[in-house]
Structures are given as C-alpha cells and as structure tokens.
Amino acid sequence: MRRLSRRKALSLVKELDAFPKVPQSYVETSASGGTVSLLAFSAMTVLTVLEFFVYRDTWMKYEYEVDKDFSSKMRINIDITVAMKCQHVGADILDLAETMITSNGLKYEPVIFELSPQQRLWHRTLQVIQNRLGEQHSLQDVLYKTVLKGAPTALPPREDAASEPLSACRIHGHVYVNKVAGNFHITVGKPIHHPRGHAHIAAFVSHETYNFSHRIDHLSFGEEVPGVLHPLDGTQKTTSNNNQMFQYFITVVPIKLHTYQVSADTHQFSVTERERVIDHAAGSHGVSGIFVKYDTSSLMVTVSEQHMPLWQFLVRLCGIVGGVFSTTGMLHGFVGFCFDVVCCRFKLGVYKPRDVSPDQ
Ligand SMILES: *[C@@H]1O[C@H](CO)[C@@H](O)[C@H](O)[C@H]1NC(C)=O
C-alpha cells in the first residue's frame, strides 16, 4: 500500500518535469545554431563581467534625521594664517551664552605670509578641487569613498629656509565648544576675561600694522577626517585696507560617515561670506578682524556606502543568462522561419501557388 502511493507520488513528480528529455537522435546540431550559441555565450560573458563591475561598485546613501545629541562637545579645527605679528592678534571663541571658551588649544606660530613654491602648488591644487566641487557635487561621493585612515591633509611645511621676517601669524589647533551657536574671532590684541564679558587689549598696536589679510588652510568642525574637504579650506583673502572686517556665517550639519574604510562623525558646513571696510566716519561701524559665526543645524545626515547585496547580484545573473539564452533561441527560430519563407518559397520555387482551377 505504502509502496503504491510512493510510486504514485513519483509519477506525479515525473509529470511535473518541465525539462522534457529529448532522445539524442532527435537533436540536430546546425552551423547556424552553433553560431547563435557562440554569440549568446559571448553576450552572456560580456554582460556577466559588466554586471560584476556593477556589483563591485558602491554608492553613497544620504539619510536625514533630527540630531538629538545636544550634550556632546563639538570640536573646531582651525588653521588660519593672518598677515599680522603674533603678539598683535588674539583668537577666541564666544558662544551663545557669552561664555568664553578657553582657546588654550590654539597655537600661535610666527610665519611668512607668502607661501613657498611647493606650498603654493599645494594651495593651488586645493583651490582647483574646491572649484570642481562647487560645480560637480558627485565629486564629494568620490572623496568620501577615498577617505582613508591616516594623517589629515595639511599645508606641507616650508621646504626653504625663511628669508623674510616672520611678519605673519599662523593660528592653528583645535578647541572644544558646546553645540550651540557661537562666534570665533581673530582680532587685534590678546583676549582677556573680566566678570562682565571679555575684551581684547589693543593699546599698543598702531593702526598701520593692522592687516587682516588671511589664508584659511583648514577650518572644520568635528573629527578631522582625512580626504574630506571643507568649503573654506584654501580660501585666501587679501586686503589693502588696514581696517577690514571679514565675516563668515557658517551653518554646521553633523554628518555620520560610514564607508567600507572608515566610520567617522564629522561635520560639513555651508558658508556665506561678507567683508567690508570699517570706517566710522562713513557710518560703517564695527571692529576690524576675522569673525566666524557658526550655528549648528538640527538635522543630521547619515552618509553610508551602499553595496548591491549578493542575492540581488545572483538574481540579476540568472536574469542575464536565462534572458540571453531564451531571447537568442527565439531570434534564431524567427530568423530561420523568415529565411525559409524568403528563400524557399519565392526564390527557389519549391513552393508554387496552385493555379486557379479553370472550372471556377
Ligand atoms: C597685508 O598683507 C598682504 C600680504 O602680505 C598684502 O598683500 C597687503 O597689501 C597688506 N595690506 C595692508 C593694508 O598692508
């Protein structure tokens, strides 16, 4: 009884066979069939290889969400060179609550404002990349992907000995601030704190030495990620006026970057620039200096590198192989049919339409 039902089941499964076995003697190979098969196999190979490249390729996915992290500190990385002597300038940060943030992390280094030939090359390269970035936004994806662990890209040191007096000041380092709006500024005199605020002591600096021409080699927020370029990197501003005010208004967007090489919390920002001459007589009031006002965005962007999953690759592969196989089979049949019609019926006269019988 049991054997019977098993045999039944077996025959049922046999009937479901969608691959009918054709006896070997029925199968006929032809030259045209062989050619078509060859073409089909080449097409399959080419498409499979191309598909493999698609599979290997990755893309960046951007997701937006509200940033709920208010408590952590944000790091500001600064590397700015001002065309003034170090003893004459001071840099510090005030945040929204007017709390002065100690700028102890900043180093003042006397340098020459003019770059050495090699540094100039580096600077020009940076500017070229910045210009391209402005035009082609997908370049950022490429940069993200090539981000590697390593040292951040910074201005290379001078290759020649300093020949001129060190009349400029490079202010560099990093400062931790609260995640609220704030104001980083470089102006005349060293900052001092007093209970009612803060001031810059600028008593002994003559107006003629004021020169806020500057070069921003690096300005970024958050972790320094090598390879990520920030909008102000490579900016150079020169002025022929002693009393110039430069303002940068920055909106910082926190970015979580996940690529196959690195995972990092970084920040990108957008910037608006303004500059004007301070002339109290003409009604243009203010303090000459470099002012960077920053604010953090409440949105956070997650940028992650995406990859086609393996199962999708396999499904597509099956699609290619099966599709090419059946399409060429159909084409072959169709072409063969057309060939038969054209060549055998009309040309060779194997098939002749029957004469109309006279008795009709
Ligand atoms: C400030 O320094 C820059 C660079 O050395 C120079 O080109 C510019 O003329 C100077 N401006 C003033 C007002 O001295």
Side-chain angles (χ1 to χ4, degrees):
M1 187 64 200
R2 196 191 253 171
R3 188 178 286 174
L4 200 69
S5 68
R6 194 191 282 170
R7 202 177 292 158
K8 242 186 200 167
L10 202 63
S11 70
L12 193 73
V13 171
K14 264 186 182 170
E15 263 175 37
L16 284 178
D17 187 0
F19 309 100
K21 307 293 171 292
V22 181
Q24 200 61 51
S25 55
Y26 288 6
V27 181
E28 197 185 313
T29 53
S30 66
S32 69
T35 318
V36 171
S37 307
L38 219 57
L39 285 178
F41 281 127
S42 329
M44 271 180 218
T45 315
V46 169
L47 288 178
T48 306
V49 169
L50 291 182
E51 190 63 25
F52 183 66
F53 282 121
V54 173
Y55 173 65
R56 284 288 311 276
D57 195 20
T58 58
W59 64 92
M60 306 309 283
K61 187 173 162 204
Y62 293 78
E63 284 164 308
Y64 301 87
E65 56 188 291
V66 174
D67 185 11
K68 298 184 206 76
D69 177 14
F70 297 112
S71 52
S72 66
K73 294 265 184 181
M74 183 169 70
R75 176 174 155 156
I76 307 184
N77 310 296
I78 298 158
D79 189 348
I80 298 180
T81 303
V82 189
M84 277 177 81
K85 283 209 167 73
C86 280
Q87 63 261 38
H88 293 163
V89 288
D92 67 313
I93 298 178
L94 287 180
D95 72 14
L96 199 64
E98 291 287 308
T99 42
M100 166 123 179
I101 286 134
T102 50
S103 37
N104 289 344
L106 294 181
K107 287 194 256 329
Y108 295 73
E109 187 186 326
V111 289
I112 303 173
F113 192 72
E114 297 303 323
L115 293 172
S116 67
Q118 217 159 57
Q119 286 177 322
R120 203 169 303 144
L121 189 69
W122 181 84
H123 191 249
R124 207 168 305 142
T125 314
L126 196 60
Q127 280 176 328
V128 168
I129 299 174
Q130 288 286 20
N131 287 343
R132 287 283 159 78
L133 266 178
E135 293 159 9
Q136 295 188 320
H137 298 279
S138 55
L139 194 57
Q140 185 64 60
D141 290 2
V142 178
L143 287 180
Y144 276 148
K145 275 193 224 171
T146 52
V147 160
L148 292 170
K149 282 204 162 94
T153 42
L155 189 71
R158 274 192 107 77
E159 71 274 10
D160 52 357
S163 51
E164 299 168 50
L166 306 173
S167 56
C169 188
R170 175 175 172 214
I171 300 172
H172 62 117
H174 60 263
V175 182
Y176 286 93
V177 299
N178 296 318
K179 266 189 161 180
V180 290
N183 177 348
F184 164 72
H185 53 263
I186 298 174
T187 181
V188 176
K190 295 292 173 203
I192 56 147
H193 323 282
H194 54 82
R196 301 224 322 272
H198 99 292
H200 286 254
I201 296 294
F204 312 110
V205 188
S206 93
H207 255 258
E208 281 70 60
T209 61
Y210 284 22
N211 185 348
F212 284 103
S213 301
H214 61 281
R215 191 181 58 242
I216 303 179
D217 290 318
H218 184 74
L219 181 72
S220 70
F221 297 81
E223 256 177 69
E224 270 185 285
V225 183
V228 175
L229 268 190
H230 299 276
L232 282 175
D233 295 1
T235 308
Q236 178 159 351
K237 293 274 167 77
T238 46
T239 171
S240 54
N241 199 294
N242 292 126
N243 279 319
Q244 188 93 358
M245 178 194 227
F246 293 95
Q247 285 173 306
Y248 296 97
F249 300 95
I250 287 178
T251 307
V252 184
V253 183
I255 299 210
K256 280 199 187 327
L257 183 65
H258 300 291
T259 70
Y260 288 109
Q261 262 100 22
V262 289
S263 276
D265 283 346
T266 176
H267 294 70
Q268 285 285 49
F269 60 85
S270 60
V271 61
T272 333
E273 307 173 13
R274 213 171 66 172
E275 59 184 88
R276 66 188 160 93
V277 176
I278 302 297
D279 186 351
H280 295 287
S284 172
H285 300 294
V287 180
S288 42
I290 303 159
F291 297 83
V292 179
K293 291 201 166 125
Y294 61 86
D295 197 357
T296 51
S297 152
S298 52
L299 273 185
M300 186 173 74
V301 185
T302 310
V303 184
S304 45
E305 192 169 7
Q306 301 277 309
H307 194 276
M308 189 195 284
L310 184 66
W311 65 265
Q312 204 174 343
F313 173 63
L314 291 178
V315 167
R316 288 171 71 125
L317 223 53
C318 289
I320 287 174
V321 173
V324 169
F325 198 72
S326 58
T327 313
T328 45
M330 266 153 55
L331 275 180
H332 183 214
F334 181 70
V335 169
F337 172 73
C338 292
F339 192 76
D340 272 357
V341 168
V342 170
C343 140
C344 306
R345 290 199 182 179
F346 299 120
K347 274 233 184 88
L348 300 179
V350 170
Y351 174 83
K352 278 199 181 117
R354 228 181 283 161
D355 290 343
V356 181
S357 46
D359 53 53
Q360 218 180 29

